Amino acid sequence: MHNCTFISFKERNLWKPPRVCPAQDFSFKKKENSTNKAIDGHVIVNHKVVSLPQCGDFCIREPRCSAFNLATFTDHEGKMECQLMDNVKNIVNKNGFGFWLFDRESYKEVI
């Protein structure tokens, strides 16, 4: 098992935790025009988060998570809704949301 440090950043519509150790890369992929769209599927759990990386971290830690929807606006506490999904049925129009897909198989190769 590698001892890796993960640092979060957003670049070119990808949320990617880069490695400080040698390992294969993985990423959360955002479809080019995923603004005001969301995944229509089964929501495993809802979280309130302060950032995209925090929502991605919740997805990584939930074994059933294959994607997530994230609100593009904050509530009165400064937090956004993060919906962890376990399947992707359809992409639907949903104002104020964006979605990211997670390739768990790539992630498994890292650990």
Side-chain angles (χ1 to χ4, degrees):
M1 185 169 172
H2 296 288
N3 183 10
C4 298
T5 301
F6 293 95
I7 304 164
S8 301
F9 72 102
K10 186 178 176 183
E11 176 184 307
R12 291 189 187 168
N13 291 331
L14 292 178
W15 177 76
K16 188 186 269 187
R19 251 155 295 308
V20 181
C21 69
Q24 183 176 352
D25 199 18
F26 69 95
S27 63
F28 285 96
K29 295 179 182 149
K30 180 177 181 180
K31 296 288 185 182
E32 284 183 28
N33 93 27
S34 69
T35 302
N36 290 323
K37 295 188 186 292
I39 295 167
D40 181 28
H42 180 249
V43 177
I44 302 168
V45 66
N46 285 303
H47 290 285
K48 294 289 186 174
V49 298
V50 296
S51 66
L52 170 63
Q54 186 181 21
C55 190
D57 185 60
F58 277 122
C59 187
I60 288 170
R61 293 169 190 272
E62 170 52 63
R64 298 172 295 160
C65 185
S66 61
F68 60 87
N69 295 324
L70 181 65
T72 58
F73 58 91
T74 58
D75 64 13
H76 66 282
E77 296 176 331
K79 295 187 178 181
M80 300 173 284
E81 184 177 359
C82 168
Q83 301 172 333
L84 304 187
M85 313 296 287
D86 66 357
N87 63 40
V88 178
K89 291 184 180 176
N90 297 307
I91 306 302
V92 296
N93 292 326
K94 188 170 184 181
N95 288 334
F97 277 83
F99 69 90
W100 284 259
L101 306 174
F102 180 40
D103 182 359
R104 187 161 295 280
E105 290 307 310
S106 288
Y107 179 71
K108 285 180 182 177
E109 292 175 13
V110 172
I111 47 180

